């Protein structure tokens, strides 16, 4: 297109609006390798020892590797549950004859639009009654379940886009519906599975409220909890440089995944209705 | 294998699409189901293949009633309009898939796939994915996959619709050759009368869920039972002129007159009828001549189409070997082969 | 003919249905059910016992319960039985004295202090000092005070034994007041509408949702989408990435970064100081600054979401339309105003409706930043419900009241999501399966 406008005013406005983000994130990055005296704007000296929490378990961050492993297990479990249940459920919703199919589908759509955070009190009670309160399994199941309407909906969309003829050809070729799903249809929705899996993993990786509230005393500490402990300025021994460093450590996997899978994730971010 | 549809009825959400249809496909023949889109031909095909359930009547493969059997138990091979090749498998894996799910051994599969690949001329492309194959090659792979497990019947759903003009000609004869070499009973669903005429032994022409006529291509062209079929068969299409019986002749309201064919004696005076004149029967031979002005010329290379205005609101079409001696606006007087014209009554039935 | 139910379908859908039933449907139901209880961390969740405490009696007496009844309940009685003897032995009462008590009075009961005292004074090996005697009496005490009765029946029997001829009314009052578990009540809703905080919180919520939505989610989102669309590719991509960060950063990190940014010695405070402006804790120091920060914290995420959605919609506008408008001599602004914005009508409506719902119910970011402060000036409904039921420093969690607050959100959420589904015609996405076997 022709450039019939001057871009500099626009860039200037954009820079101004983006300033808080740019400042926050650059200081976040800067804080990991420098120290800043309280009350100063600019860092005073280079300091790599902010990273000492990686091998020193006596910092406020505790043993970071255990927390990292916990977070990975947490996020991966959520991903696996969301993927398997959405992959099967979405297929059934998209392609198979079920009683009350319309009703169930609109139910799932309502749940998809419905803000699940409002359910946390009810979820708390359910966990109390089932004895899953203060267990990581409980939190994982809750987090995965709250993501399910979204997952099923997204997967149903991907299944809907697979031509019916592939499915028809499969049954003509003598394959059972299960074989058709497993060997012919699943490979066609791989893009959807990858995107949903990444999304679920990132969502699990960043989760804070559910483990904090539903498993408050559990030993299975995830990074978000650790980070909140380190970063709470109301605490006596708080250290913002340590917080920034742990924060960067915590966010790096997210950024890496995002850089590599940006396009796949954008589809699903756009398709998701929740911000 | 002979396929029989007895009182086959199909409805969607209470709308009857096909009502008590009867059809018999003879062992080893290629039958074309021809009709405009929405006439129910694809529904019929999907019912035979076991994708749709019948709402009434029976479908028989030989003597076996398969009406309530799912596709997996029917042994039908289908080639879909978009081929429906599995995109994540190469040509070999696509063809081998039906045998694999049947649990055949690797050597058996290799042998069967090799044979069918030879028949369909696709040996060089066996390791390619569908995305790397041309339309014609995909078509051959789809055929091979449908045929590899020796189905009782081969169903072809608009197999040439997705090909360009040149490939279409090639695949037309290829499909026919393969069908004849294997001797398989086949049903071809198409909306293209040229395809139906050139590929099949018999044509069943459908409209609004009903079979109107079943016949050999030649016979259907020459003796259509009604105006709809006459209009459907032939390209460029037949020209219809509406008018009334005037003694032994036909006359339009604007006064254009033609004698009626000799086989139609004693039609009631004043009865409304239509007369159909195919382009090849105007302009070459015949006892009767009509005069008119050329209103349009469409050169086609080997031959030319001419539109001739022969009266108020009456334009006849003629197809003749290319000629340069006539041009638009020129008056001509050309013969009509009256005995070959078709005459229809008010309801469109051929007289 | 109706298509038959697919067994495979039931099998494939059942895990989803099971999880959704347990963690979606049941919680929604429980929110409704328990909003009609007074359940809290002091009543416990799984039921309670019947305990008459001295404090309760004091309260009941103040409310006009018969003094005779109160006295009878307060009064201790004594009975010489195996339990009492065993307890006395454990309390190191002289064994000889106990043997005598057992021999003379086994199985007897005494209604008052003085009766039992008189009886004991008859025994030869009684302790000399009255204090020791009282100590020896104690293990034989029978009282309903501070005793946990597991069922209503046990409590009723014990009270009836103590207070002969207690009226049905008083018995009912005693039983219901002495119950420590949760009970059914509609008080929660009364409390909600009586509390003056309620209306303030509702006003806060409306202000918060409306401001964030219009300024950030829609306006800024649109601005970002349109400008990054027109900027040279690389420059646009940089801003897109910058504005994706709030959306993909884990919420704790994001929220605490804002804290760092606006806290006492935070960036903004220091910068303001250097520029000679008032330097204070911008997040909690004043109501205006607190609201500004809260709205920005949530708004940046919202703008991120809006940008993604609008950018997608922008890219789906056929580029030929833009070329055509340029050929027609439209300026960039005219192009945006007359060609782009009209075609973004549905995405804008979509963002507005869905983000209304999501802002209405979000509390994480506010909780982690201002936590509703200063005072309760930035407290919104969802945050208050969450804190009432699950998280506050006083330690008394009122599940029932919190559930009642959440129930309102659940109801609003359910209504809005059903309306949106109709509005955006999601129903058309439901088609019949084509394979009928």
């Amino acid at each position: 297109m022709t450039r019939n406008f001057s871009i500099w005013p626009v860039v200037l406005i954009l820079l101004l609006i983006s300033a808080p983000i740019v400042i926050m994130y650059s200081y976040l990055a800067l804080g990991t390798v420098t120290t800043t005296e309280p009350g100063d704007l600019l860092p005073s000296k280079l300091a790599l020892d902010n990273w000492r929490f990686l091998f020193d378990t006596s910092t406020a961050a505790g043993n970071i590797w255990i927390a990292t492993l916990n977070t990975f297990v947490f996020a991966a479990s959520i991903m696996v549950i969301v993927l398997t249940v959405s992959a099967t459920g979405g297929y059934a919703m998209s392609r198979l004859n079920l009683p009350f199919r319309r009703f169930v589908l609109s139910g799932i759509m309502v749940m998809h639009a419905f803000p699940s955070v409002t359910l946390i009190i009810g979820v708390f009670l359910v966990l109390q009654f089932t004895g899953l309160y203060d267990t990581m399994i409980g939190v994982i199941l809750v987090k995965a379940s709250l993501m399910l309407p979204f997952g099923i909906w997204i997967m149903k969309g991907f299944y809907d886009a697979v031509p019916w003829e592939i499915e028809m050809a499969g049954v003509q070729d003598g394959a059972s519906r299960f074989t058709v799903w497993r060997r012919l249809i699943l490979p066609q929705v791989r893009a959807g599975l990858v995107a949903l899996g990444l999304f679920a993993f990132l969502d699990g990786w960043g989760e804070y409220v559910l483990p904090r509230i539903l498993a408050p005393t559990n030993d299975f500490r995830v990074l978000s909890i650790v980070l909140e402990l380190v970063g709470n300025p109301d605490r006596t021994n708080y250290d913002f440089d340590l917080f920034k460093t742990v924060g960067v450590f915590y966010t790096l996997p997210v950024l890496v995944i995002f850089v590599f899978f940006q396009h796949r994730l954008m589809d699903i971010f756009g398709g998701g209705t929740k911000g | 294998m002979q396929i029989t549809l007895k009182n086959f009825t199909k409805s969607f959400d209470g709308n009857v699409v096909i009502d008590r249809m009867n059809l018999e496909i003879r062992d080893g023949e290629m039958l074309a189901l021809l009709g405009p889109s929405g006439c129910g031909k694809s529904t019929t095909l999907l019912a035979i293949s076991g994708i749709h359930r019948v709402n009434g009547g029976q479908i028989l493969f030989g003597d076996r009633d398969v009406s309530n059997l799912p596709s997996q138990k029917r042994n039908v091979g289908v080639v879909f309009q978009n081929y429906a090749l599995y995109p994540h498998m190469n040509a070999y894996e696509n063809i081998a898939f039906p045998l694999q799910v049947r649990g055949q051994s690797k050597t058996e599969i290799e042998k069967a796939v090799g044979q069918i690949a030879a028949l369909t001329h696709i040996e060089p492309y066996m390791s390619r994915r569908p995305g790397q194959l041309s339309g014609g090659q995909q078509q051959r792979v789809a055929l091979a996959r449908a045929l590899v497990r020796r189905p009782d019947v081969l169903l072809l759903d608009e197999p040439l619709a997705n090909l360009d003009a040149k490939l279409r000609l090639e695949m037309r004869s290829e499909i026919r050759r393969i069908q004849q070499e294997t001797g398989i009973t086949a049903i071809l669903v198409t909306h293209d009368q040229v395809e139906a005429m050139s590929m099949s032994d018999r044509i069943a022409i459908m409209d609004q869920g009903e079979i109107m006529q079943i016949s050999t291509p030649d016979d259907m062209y020459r003796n259509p039972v009604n105006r709809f079929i006459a209009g459907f068969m032939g390209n460029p299409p037949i020209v219809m002129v509406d008018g009334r019986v005037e003694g032994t002749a036909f006359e339009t309201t604007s006064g254009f007159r033609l004698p009626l064919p000799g086989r139609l004696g004693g039609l009631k005076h004043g009865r409304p009828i239509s007369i159909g004149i195919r382009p090849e029967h105007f302009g070459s031979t015949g006892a009767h001549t009509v005069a008119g002005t050329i209103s349009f010329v469409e050169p086609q290379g080997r031959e030319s189409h001419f539109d001739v205005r022969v009266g108020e609101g009456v334009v006849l079409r003629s197809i003749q070997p290319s000629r340069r001696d006539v041009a638009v606006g020129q008056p001509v007087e050309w013969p009509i082969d009256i005995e070959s014209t078709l005459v229809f009554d008010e309801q469109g039935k051929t007289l | 003919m109706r298509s038959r139910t697919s067994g495979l379908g039931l099998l494939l859908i059942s895990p989803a249905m099971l999880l959704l039933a347990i963690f979606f449907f049941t919680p929604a139901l429980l929110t409704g059910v328990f909003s009609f209880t007074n359940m809290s961390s002091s009543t416990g969740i799984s039921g309670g016992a019947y305990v008459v405490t001295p404090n309760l009696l004091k309260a009941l007496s103040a409310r006009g319960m018969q003094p005779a009844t109160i006295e009878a309940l307060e009064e201790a009685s004594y009975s010489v039985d195996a339990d009492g003897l065993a307890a006395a032995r454990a309390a190191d009462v002289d064994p000889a004295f106990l043997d005598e008590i057992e021999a003379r009075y086994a199985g007897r009961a005494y209604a008052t202090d003085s009766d039992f005292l008189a009886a004991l004074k008859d025994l030869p090996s009684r302790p000399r000092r009255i204090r020791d005697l009282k100590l020896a009496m104690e293990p034989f005490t029978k009282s309903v005070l501070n005793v946990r009765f597991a069922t209503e029946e046990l409590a009723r029997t014990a009270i009836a034994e103590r207070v002969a001829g207690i009226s049905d009314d008083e018995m009912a009052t005693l039983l219901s007041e002495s119950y420590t578990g949760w009970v059914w009540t509609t008080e929660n809703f009364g409390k909600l509408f009586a509390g003056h905080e309620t209306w303030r919180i509702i006003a806060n919520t409306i202000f918060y949702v409306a401001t964030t939505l219009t300024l950030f989610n829609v306006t800024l989102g649109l601005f970002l989408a349109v400008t990054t669309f027109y900027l040279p590719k690389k420059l646009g991509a940089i801003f897109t990435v910058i504005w994706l960060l709030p959306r993909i950063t884990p919420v704790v990190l994001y929220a605490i970064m804002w804290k760092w940014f606006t806290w006492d010695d935070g960036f903004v405070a220091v910068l303001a100081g250097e520029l000679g402006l008032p330097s204070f804790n911008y997040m909690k120091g004043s109501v205006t600054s607190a609201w500004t920060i809260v709205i920005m914290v949530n708004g940046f995420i919202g703008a991120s979401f809006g940008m993604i959605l609008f950018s997608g919609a922008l890219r789906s506008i056929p580029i030929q339309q833009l070329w055509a408008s340029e050929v027609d001599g439209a300026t960039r602004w005219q192009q945006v105003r007359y060609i782009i914005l009209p075609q973004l009508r549905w995405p804008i409506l979509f963002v507005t409706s869905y983000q209304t719902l999501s802002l209405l119910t979000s509390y994480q970011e506010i909780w982690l930043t201002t936590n509703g402060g200063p005072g309760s000036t930035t407290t919104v409904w969802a945050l208050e419900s969450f804190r009432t039921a699950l998280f506050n420093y006083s330690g008394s969690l009122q599940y029932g009241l919190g559930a009642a607050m959440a129930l309102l959100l659940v109801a609003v959420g359910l209504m809005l999501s059903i309306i949106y589904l109709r509005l955006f015609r999601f129903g058309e996405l439901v088609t019949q399966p084509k394979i009928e076997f």
Side-chain angles (χ1 to χ4, degrees):
Chain A
M1 266 182 292
T2 55
R3 184 164 300 160
N4 60 0
F5 73 115
S6 156
I7 65 168
W8 290 112
V10 173
V11 172
L12 206 66
I13 297 174
L14 274 177
L15 273 177
L16 215 63
I17 303 175
S18 317
I21 304 182
V22 174
I23 292 170
M24 276 191 279
Y25 283 88
S26 11
Y27 268 83
L28 183 71
L30 212 59
T32 62
V33 288
T34 59
T35 47
T36 311
E37 296 304 317
D40 282 352
L41 271 191
L42 294 174
S44 49
K45 61 171 194 278
L46 271 178
L48 277 173
D49 64 336
N50 291 332
W51 287 96
R52 70 188 180 279
F53 70 89
L54 286 180
F55 34 86
D56 178 3
T57 56
S58 67
T59 66
N63 189 332
I64 199 76
W65 296 108
I66 289 185
T68 309
L69 184 70
N70 286 348
T71 317
F72 182 81
V73 171
F74 180 74
S77 314
I78 289 167
M79 179 181 87
V80 168
I81 296 175
V82 170
L83 270 187
T84 43
V85 179
S86 306
T88 54
Y91 180 68
M93 278 289 124
S94 169
R95 291 291 160 94
L96 298 174
N97 290 310
L98 292 170
F100 310 113
R101 186 168 165 277
R102 250 194 111 79
F103 178 76
V104 173
L105 246 180
S106 43
I108 286 179
M109 285 187 283
V110 168
M111 285 194 256
H112 171 41
F114 183 78
S116 51
V117 279
T118 53
L119 293 178
I120 189 162
I121 297 168
V123 166
F124 169 78
L125 294 171
V126 167
L127 290 190
Q128 288 278 2
F129 292 137
T130 50
L132 287 170
Y133 179 70
D134 215 8
T135 64
M136 251 322 128
I137 296 191
V139 182
I140 289 171
L141 284 176
V142 168
K143 178 72 189 165
S145 303
L146 294 186
M147 280 188 73
L148 274 185
F150 173 76
I152 294 175
W153 185 245
I154 288 283
M155 283 320 296
K156 178 195 170 286
F158 277 98
Y159 283 123
D160 283 350
V162 177
W164 265 103
E165 281 79 6
I166 299 259
E167 191 124 9
M168 292 178 181
V171 297
Q172 295 303 335
D173 285 346
S176 67
R177 285 308 283 275
F178 181 78
T179 310
V180 168
W181 170 66
R182 178 62 207 77
R183 291 199 48 197
L184 304 181
I185 307 299
L186 261 190
Q188 316 301 324
V189 296
R190 249 190 54 203
L193 289 173
V194 170
L196 180 63
L198 288 170
F199 184 83
F201 185 86
L202 290 183
D203 208 13
W205 186 266
E207 182 59 40
Y208 170 69
V209 177
L210 294 181
R212 178 79 181 75
I213 297 301
L214 300 178
T217 64
N218 200 281
D219 288 337
F220 195 98
R221 282 206 308 187
V222 291
L223 282 171
S224 55
I225 304 277
V226 172
L227 189 67
E228 207 274 336
L229 282 177
V230 175
N232 193 335
D234 297 328
R235 266 165 222 280
T236 46
N237 61 340
Y238 96 92
D239 174 353
F240 253 132
D241 288 324
L242 178 64
F243 162 74
K244 287 177 191 162
T245 321
V246 177
V248 167
F249 176 79
Y250 176 38
T251 315
L252 269 181
V254 178
L255 292 178
V256 168
I257 290 177
F258 201 80
V259 166
F260 280 101
F261 299 98
Q262 191 188 356
H263 292 289
R264 298 207 158 175
L265 277 169
M266 284 300 260
D267 290 345
I268 213 163
F269 274 157
T273 53
K274 288 174 197 161
Chain B
M1 177 82 63
Q2 175 179 310
I3 312 293
T4 316
L5 272 61
K6 274 193 193 158
N7 293 322
F8 161 57
T9 303
K10 178 71 198 166
S11 59
F12 292 105
D13 299 326
N15 296 326
V16 179
V17 179
I18 291 166
D19 189 19
R20 283 172 310 216
M21 176 169 123
N22 287 292
L23 177 66
E24 195 183 293
I25 301 113
R26 295 175 196 146
D27 185 25
E29 83 169 336
M30 168 97 100
L31 179 103
L33 271 179
L34 175 65
S37 62
C39 72
K41 56 191 192 300
S42 288
T43 306
T44 310
L45 180 110
L46 290 175
I48 296 174
S49 67
I51 299 291
H52 285 337
R53 279 175 188 277
V54 301
N55 294 77
Q58 288 179 311
I59 297 174
L60 302 175
F61 283 16
D63 301 324
R64 192 164 68 115
D65 183 354
V66 298
S67 316
N68 287 312
L69 291 181
S71 299
Q72 290 95 331
K73 295 189 180 145
R74 287 200 190 180
N75 201 21
V76 175
V78 184
V79 175
F80 291 95
Q81 179 172 351
N82 59 8
Y83 318 134
L85 295 176
Y86 312 131
H88 59 295
M89 298 181 182
N90 66 25
Y92 179 89
E93 290 163 337
N94 260 286
I95 301 168
F97 181 77
L99 305 178
Q100 271 176 18
V101 296
R102 230 151 274 226
Q104 295 196 5
S105 76
K106 233 175 152 177
T107 47
E108 274 176 318
I109 293 177
E110 254 171 53
K111 196 170 147 228
V113 175
Q115 277 174 359
I116 207 78
L119 176 73
T120 51
H121 303 327
I122 49 173
E123 290 109 323
Y125 325 117
M126 291 302 265
S127 58
R128 290 200 202 162
R129 294 266 176 100
Q132 302 162 314
L133 295 172
S134 74
Q137 290 160 351
Q138 288 185 36
Q139 169 79 271
R140 288 169 191 268
V141 175
L143 262 171
R145 186 182 68 187
L147 289 170
V148 71
R149 63 202 146 84
R150 305 185 183 286
D152 294 334
V153 55
L154 176 67
L155 307 179
L156 303 154
D157 187 6
E158 302 271 6
L160 305 177
N162 283 15
L163 296 175
D164 60 40
K166 186 162 167 281
L167 267 175
R168 200 172 294 176
L169 282 179
E170 177 191 324
M171 285 315 294
R172 210 155 81 184
S173 49
E174 273 297 282
I175 292 174
R176 184 62 166 154
R177 170 185 70 80
I178 292 164
Q179 186 259 334
Q180 281 173 336
E181 273 181 36
T182 51
I184 191 170
T185 310
I187 302 174
L188 167 76
V189 161
T190 178
H191 67 277
D192 181 346
Q193 48 93 18
V194 180
E195 243 171 78
M197 298 231 298
S198 58
M199 289 169 72
S200 58
D201 297 307
R202 287 193 306 155
I203 297 175
I205 193 157
M206 280 183 82
D207 189 37
Q208 294 170 3
E210 242 179 279
I211 291 186
M212 302 188 131
Q213 188 175 5
I214 306 183
S215 196
T216 60
D218 257 3
D219 183 53
M220 189 163 286
Y221 187 75
R222 271 175 238 270
N223 304 308
V225 295
N226 60 31
R227 186 175 165 158
F228 171 80
I229 297 173
F232 209 84
M233 306 295 283
N235 186 28
I238 193 166
V239 172
M240 299 286 180
V241 186
D242 297 334
R244 282 172 301 110
V245 179
E246 283 285 335
T248 59
F250 161 90
E251 193 179 314
T252 68
T253 43
S254 61
F256 172 68
R257 262 180 93 93
L258 274 182
L260 285 168
R263 63 180 187 277
L264 293 174
L267 285 178
K268 214 177 116 221
H269 183 82
R271 181 176 173 184
I273 54 168
S274 319
I275 196 155
I277 305 147
R278 292 202 185 275
E280 64 269 30
H281 297 141
F282 173 53
S284 36
T285 54
H288 185 80
T289 60
V290 280
T293 339
I294 302 218
S295 63
F296 186 70
V297 180
E298 189 181 323
Q300 299 259 320
R302 187 172 43 242
E303 57 213 18
S304 299
H305 303 171
F306 303 95
D307 283 357
V308 183
R309 204 170 155 277
V310 293
E312 188 67 33
V314 185
V315 176
L316 297 186
R317 188 171 299 129
S318 166
I319 181 165
Q320 297 174 39
S322 263
R323 54 193 283 185
R324 297 224 181 122
D325 54 332
V326 285
V328 174
Q330 194 175 325
V332 289
E333 189 169 344
W334 282 344
I336 281 192
D337 182 1
I338 290 295
E339 289 310 312
S340 302
T341 59
L342 298 164
V343 182
F344 309 98
D345 67 10
E346 219 181 349
Q347 281 76 42
K349 256 189 68 174
T350 310
L351 295 170
Chain C
M1 183 184 292
R2 266 199 78 98
S3 305
R4 267 165 233 175
T5 298
S6 152
L8 177 67
L10 289 179
L11 194 73
L12 290 183
I13 197 74
S14 51
M17 289 294 112
L18 189 72
L19 284 174
L20 289 178
I22 297 177
F23 294 108
F24 233 105
F25 189 66
T26 317
L29 209 66
L30 288 189
T31 309
V33 170
F34 284 98
S35 61
F36 291 97
T37 71
N38 66 347
M39 188 191 269
S40 71
S41 45
S42 51
T43 66
I45 285 171
S46 49
Y50 294 83
V51 185
V52 178
T53 60
N55 278 340
L56 175 64
L57 288 182
K58 230 177 266 168
L60 287 177
S61 151
R63 271 160 56 184
M65 186 171 267
Q66 293 287 328
T69 313
I70 305 281
E71 251 165 58
L73 285 168
E74 275 174 338
E75 194 133 288
S77 72
Y78 300 88
S79 79
V80 181
D81 55 14
D83 286 351
L85 287 164
R89 247 174 223 115
D92 282 340
V93 179
D94 177 15
F97 180 46
L98 283 179
D99 287 344
E100 281 179 17
I101 297 177
E102 189 173 8
R104 290 274 291 272
Y105 305 129
R108 290 205 204 172
Y110 304 88
T112 64
D113 250 17
S114 45
D115 289 354
F116 193 34
L117 199 64
L120 290 187
K121 278 184 177 164
D122 288 350
L123 297 174
S125 55
R126 66 187 155 90
R128 294 299 125 198
R129 286 194 306 174
I130 209 81
R131 215 181 118 247
D132 290 341
L133 205 55
K134 289 250 177 191
L135 273 177
M137 281 165 69
E138 213 158 72
F140 297 96
T141 317
K142 292 287 166 226
S143 167
V144 291
L145 282 188
N146 292 326
V147 176
R148 290 180 70 84
F149 298 101
T151 67
E152 192 184 319
E153 219 25 65
L154 287 174
R156 186 189 295 278
T157 327
I159 292 172
E161 249 172 40
R162 297 295 311 146
V163 194
I166 185 171
S167 73
D168 285 352
D169 271 2
E170 288 191 335
M171 177 63 95
T173 317
L174 265 172
L175 285 176
S176 77
E177 293 292 325
S178 67
Y179 185 63
T180 62
W182 52 267
V183 292
W184 301 106
T185 172
T186 52
E187 271 172 22
N188 294 326
F189 296 98
K191 262 189 226 168
L192 277 188
F193 289 107
H196 71 283
E197 280 286 88
T198 305
W199 299 109
R200 185 201 179 125
I201 291 173
I202 290 177
N204 278 351
T205 310
I206 293 172
F207 171 72
Y208 160 74
V209 173
T211 320
T212 315
L213 191 70
T214 45
L215 288 186
F216 286 88
N217 296 36
V218 175
T219 310
L220 184 57
L222 264 178
F223 179 75
L224 290 171
V226 171
T227 47
T228 51
F229 178 71
Y230 277 129
L231 285 182
K233 233 182 158 68
K234 282 208 174 131
L235 201 57
I238 290 174
F239 283 109
T240 308
V241 168
I242 288 177
W243 278 93
L244 276 175
L245 285 174
R247 177 84 169 82
I248 61 169
T249 312
V251 59
V252 189
L253 179 66
Y254 177 72
I256 299 180
M257 268 203 313
W258 274 96
K259 262 191 174 173
W260 165 80
F261 195 55
T262 56
W263 214 249
D264 298 311
D265 326 316
F267 185 87
V268 175
V270 175
L271 186 70
E274 306 227 328
L275 296 175
L277 296 167
S279 162
F280 59 98
N281 183 335
Y282 277 81
M283 188 172 276
K284 299 190 103 164
S286 83
V287 176
T288 324
S289 68
W291 266 122
T292 313
I293 304 290
V294 162
I295 288 170
M296 275 167 83
V297 169
N298 286 281
F300 277 37
I301 300 180
S304 197
F305 176 78
M307 178 187 74
I308 295 171
L309 221 119
F310 295 138
S311 294
L314 263 177
R315 275 194 299 274
S316 67
I317 296 178
I319 190 89
Q320 288 82 353
Q321 289 186 13
L322 301 183
W323 287 338
S325 73
E326 286 189 5
V327 172
D328 295 340
T331 65
R332 214 29 79 92
W333 166 244
Q334 286 170 326
Q335 206 173 59
V336 172
R337 172 68 190 79
Y338 296 107
I339 298 189
I340 290 179
L341 283 185
Q343 301 200 46
L344 291 185
R345 240 190 0 244
W346 277 98
I348 291 172
L349 188 61
F350 185 80
V351 167
T352 311
S353 39
Y354 271 83
Q355 295 286 293
T356 306
L357 203 50
S358 124
L359 282 171
L360 202 61
T361 54
S362 71
Y363 55 85
Q364 282 195 70
E365 288 81 9
I366 305 186
W367 177 45
L368 288 170
T369 51
T370 65
N371 195 15
S376 60
T377 45
T378 58
T379 301
V380 295
W381 190 267
L383 177 67
E384 186 59 19
S385 130
F386 167 73
R387 283 199 309 202
T388 305
L390 297 176
F391 198 88
N392 62 51
Y393 289 109
S394 71
S396 161
L397 304 176
Q398 294 176 282
Y399 307 128
L401 183 59
M405 298 187 75
L407 184 65
L408 249 62
L409 287 180
V410 170
V412 171
L414 204 62
M415 239 158 50
L416 287 181
S417 32
I418 291 172
I419 292 173
Y420 297 161
L421 291 184
R422 306 221 150 212
L423 188 64
F424 295 106
R425 274 172 271 173
F426 276 119
E428 286 173 11
L429 294 172
V430 189
T431 52
Q432 277 299 313
K434 287 192 181 160
I435 297 183
E436 298 179 346
F437 276 89

